[in-house]
Amino acid sequence: MPTVPRAVQKGVEDGAIRIRKATQAQLGQYLDGPEPGLPTAPLADSTINERIRLGFTPDDPGVRTGDMRESYGERVSGPGMKVAASIGSDDIKAVVFEVGRLEQGNYQPPRPELAVAAARNEDKVAHGVARVLVRTLCGRPLPNIPDDENTTP
């Protein structure tokens, strides 16, 4: 049977993956909703013209080659009763995309993809962690974990 600290880690890891995938799926779309920073602003005409000139689709915010979308990842701390997860990208374009840029002559409005994905999945992540803990407390194996990790030494 897996340990409770390992179950907490697995639940948090699954939640981080859910948020990363939701963030990646949102890129290329305009977001609308009650979350802060929404609705997202339309692309500027100059941006649309540049995208067309460079051979990209005209109106898919945050998606050109797909490199930025693929740059998102997650990191999760080790097993414990407190497990930390970070989701994001090391690509500076993704950071600017998320928080915007206020430079004179180079304004880019914020497009809070990651923040919105996290807010929209908060309940699902919490329920996922709870489900994994209940499985462990009931003596059932963790989902998608090799059998040798599901047994105590």
Side-chain angles (χ1 to χ4, degrees):
M1 180 173 100
T3 64
V4 169
R6 176 64 180 110
V8 172
Q9 181 193 34
K10 173 66 175 148
V12 171
E13 178 181 48
D14 289 350
I17 291 169
R18 172 185 286 279
I19 292 169
R20 177 197 33 94
K21 286 181 177 181
T23 301
Q24 291 172 314
Q26 290 171 178
L27 289 171
Q29 304 171 35
Y30 292 102
L31 299 180
D32 195 5
E35 294 85 4
L38 297 185
T40 51
L43 292 177
D45 289 342
S46 59
T47 302
I48 291 172
N49 292 338
E50 178 190 14
R51 291 175 62 89
I52 293 168
R53 183 180 63 76
L54 295 173
F56 298 109
T57 57
D59 203 18
D60 297 318
V63 179
R64 288 190 183 196
T65 65
D67 289 347
M68 186 174 82
R69 176 183 283 152
E70 294 308 312
S71 73
Y72 284 86
E74 67 281 329
R75 293 185 186 118
V76 179
S77 64
M81 297 309 287
K82 286 186 176 183
V83 176
S86 59
I87 306 117
S89 172
D90 293 333
D91 185 340
I92 190 65
K93 291 180 286 202
V95 175
V96 171
F97 196 77
E98 183 80 14
V99 299
R101 178 183 6 224
L102 295 174
E103 295 173 9
Q104 195 171 29
N106 195 7
Y107 173 73
Q108 181 175 337
R111 298 181 186 281
E113 304 287 343
L114 185 57
V116 168
R120 290 181 177 176
N121 284 282
E122 182 178 7
D123 288 344
K124 290 177 184 174
V125 170
H127 288 284
V129 172
R131 255 191 324 274
V132 172
L133 284 170
V134 168
R135 285 181 72 99
T136 299
L137 294 173
C138 290
R140 298 187 338 224
L142 294 176
N144 301 318
I145 298 289
D147 285 338
D148 60 337
E149 245 190 270
N150 274 311
T151 56
T152 52

